[in-house]
Amino acid sequence: MSGVGPDTPATPEAAKGSSNLFMRVVAALIMAPLTIAIVWIGGWPWACIVIAAAALLYFEWLMIVGASGNRFAVVAGIAALAIAGICLMMRRTDLALGIVAVGIALAAVAARGQRGWVASGLVYAAAALIASIVVRRDADLGFVALMFVLLVVWVTDIGGYFAGRGIGGPKLWPRVSPKKTWAGAIGGLVLGLAIAAVFAWLGFGAMLPLLLLGAVLSIVSQLGDLFESAIKRRFDVKDSSHIIPGHGGLLDRLDGFVAAIVFAALIGFMRGGLDGVGRGFMVW
């Protein structure tokens, strides 16, 4: 019978896993405070970051589906996202939606045999762009609502990672994402509920509604992660890119956030209108 003692050399897989975890932690320690600072500032600094992120999301999507070499589709989509972001900050949401629609049409025409995939990539990036800006631009609770979404998504990812690795057990959806487990999904959900409880305790909303929102956001963010995994598996791609050490591409990092922020924006808009998306989402 063999065992692993203190002097047993680590396997290449274990060493790679430790290195990847270290890079993930370092990247998170750098990106999280910077993101929070820009969210706090809001306004044009936040809009510029969101526009750049949306453009990169779109380009990484094109890389996954094999359409990044189509320069016209790339330029049309990125230009539409940039102009739409500017229109949103000028509170011309109607014009922003029109620009996005034109961009989708132009990119799809240029894509020829991949029109559906290219168009869906621009819809995905535009949804992230619009939701991220309209939630934050709420003067009353925009910052609180955006931080609530961000923190729930972050801790869901953290809880899923450590619970999945530490507990293991049955796989969540092995055909789409072989590494994700039910233990990880539940661990992420529990931490999402904890964040919601903290926000309620701090007086940012009623306990029960925020717990429900925290639970739904956690689930939605995990579904967003699975959605992106399904797209990558469809095209046999491991990472959307390698721009973030230990995390892969921006799309790999923001897949859960995109789903969660779009959900939050829709709920907030239905309850508070375009000028009260944050309040509409947080106050029940």
Side-chain angles (χ1 to χ4, degrees):
M1 182 175 66
S2 62
V4 178
D7 298 324
T8 303
T11 64
E13 292 79 7
K16 183 179 179 180
S18 298
S19 175
N20 185 57
L21 175 59
F22 175 76
M23 293 304 297
R24 286 173 67 95
V25 171
V26 171
L29 290 175
I30 294 173
M31 292 189 300
L34 181 60
T35 300
I36 292 172
I38 298 174
V39 171
W40 169 257
I41 295 170
W44 284 102
W46 173 245
C48 289
I49 292 296
V50 171
I51 291 170
L56 188 52
L57 287 176
Y58 173 62
F59 185 70
E60 287 188 347
W61 181 289
L62 295 186
M63 289 176 63
I64 290 174
V65 304
S68 59
N70 190 320
R71 295 182 180 179
F72 188 85
V74 172
V75 172
I78 291 177
L81 292 169
I83 297 171
I86 294 171
C87 292
L88 286 168
M89 288 306 298
M90 297 174 66
R91 296 191 177 272
R92 288 301 307 273
T93 306
D94 55 341
L95 187 56
L97 293 174
I99 293 296
V100 168
V102 171
I104 292 171
L106 292 175
V109 169
R112 299 178 184 175
Q114 294 176 302
R115 288 175 181 172
W117 287 110
V118 170
S120 59
L122 189 48
V123 169
Y124 183 88
L129 171 83
I130 295 169
S132 298
I133 290 179
V134 299
V135 169
R136 180 60 186 91
R137 78 182 188 186
D138 182 339
D140 294 327
L141 287 175
F143 172 72
V144 173
L146 186 52
M147 283 306 307
F148 183 75
V149 175
L150 278 170
L151 290 174
V152 169
V153 172
W154 286 348
V155 301
T156 295
D157 186 49
I158 293 169
Y161 182 83
F162 285 104
R165 288 174 64 92
I167 300 174
K171 302 298 182 181
L172 183 61
W173 195 354
R175 189 167 63 86
V176 170
S177 186
K179 293 184 179 180
K180 289 183 172 57
T181 65
W182 280 102
I186 295 171
L189 176 62
V190 169
L191 288 188
L193 291 172
I195 289 294
V198 170
F199 269 71
W201 178 72
L202 291 174
F204 292 119
M207 180 65 75
L208 182 57
L210 286 188
L211 286 175
L212 291 174
L213 285 176
V216 175
L217 279 178
S218 180
I219 294 170
V220 168
S221 72
Q222 295 186 58
L223 291 175
D225 193 349
L226 288 171
F227 170 74
E228 194 244 0
S229 295
I231 299 297
K232 290 190 297 184
R233 184 159 290 272
R234 164 66 174 77
F235 290 94
D236 195 25
V237 173
K238 184 178 185 299
D239 294 317
S240 59
S241 74
H242 301 284
I243 191 173
I244 306 174
H247 291 277
L250 195 66
L251 187 54
D252 299 316
R253 188 85 295 268
L254 295 183
D255 48 12
F257 172 74
V258 171
I261 196 64
V262 170
F263 169 79
L266 287 173
I267 297 299
F269 169 69
M270 287 188 293
R271 300 188 69 248
L274 276 176
D275 293 326
V277 175
R279 173 170 291 277
F281 181 69
M282 295 296 297
V283 179
W284 294 77

